[in-house]
Amino acid sequence: MIGWLFWALFAAAFPACLQATENLITAPTEPLRLAQRDEEPSRVRVPDVRGRNITQAEAVILRAGLSPGRMTPQDSDWADNTVLRQDPAPGQQVQHGTPVGL
């Protein structure tokens, strides 16, 4: 009872506080959402596609969550369209979607 009496006297002395309290009481009941900093993109391991043909290498790269990057043709004794090198190197941890150059 004393609490309500105190609140009535306080509200009479400070009408702005009463208005703020009414706004809180009638505020929407949606859950409070806190702002969060951006999460770090997921990291994936770069697969080894050396020795595969270009089509197979691209499929493996896509399945790993990466993207095929720039292809640089080179002369070699290997069969045509065989991947000789890749960048980034196999086994490295990179961000999801990173291009893999062949």
Side-chain angles (χ1 to χ4, degrees):
M1 178 75 178
I2 294 175
W4 284 103
L5 180 60
F6 174 77
W7 179 245
L9 291 173
F10 182 80
F14 301 99
C17 293
L18 182 59
Q19 180 63 39
T21 304
E22 288 174 3
N23 289 342
L24 288 174
I25 292 170
T26 59
T29 57
E30 294 180 20
L32 179 64
R33 287 185 282 154
L34 301 175
Q36 297 178 358
R37 65 184 173 108
D38 294 335
E39 294 181 13
E40 184 177 321
S42 62
R43 298 184 71 76
V44 296
R45 186 184 67 78
V46 177
D48 189 354
V49 295
R50 297 171 297 179
R52 297 179 184 254
N53 71 41
I54 295 293
T55 305
Q56 291 172 338
E58 286 179 336
V60 170
I61 289 168
L62 289 170
R63 276 195 308 265
L66 303 169
S67 64
R70 183 172 154 211
M71 290 185 229
T72 307
Q74 293 182 336
D75 291 330
S76 75
D77 294 334
W78 289 80
D80 289 345
N81 296 321
T82 300
V83 176
L84 304 175
R85 297 179 190 193
Q86 67 180 79
D87 183 36
Q92 286 188 343
Q93 294 287 324
V94 297
Q95 289 182 358
H96 188 270
T98 297
V100 178
L102 307 173

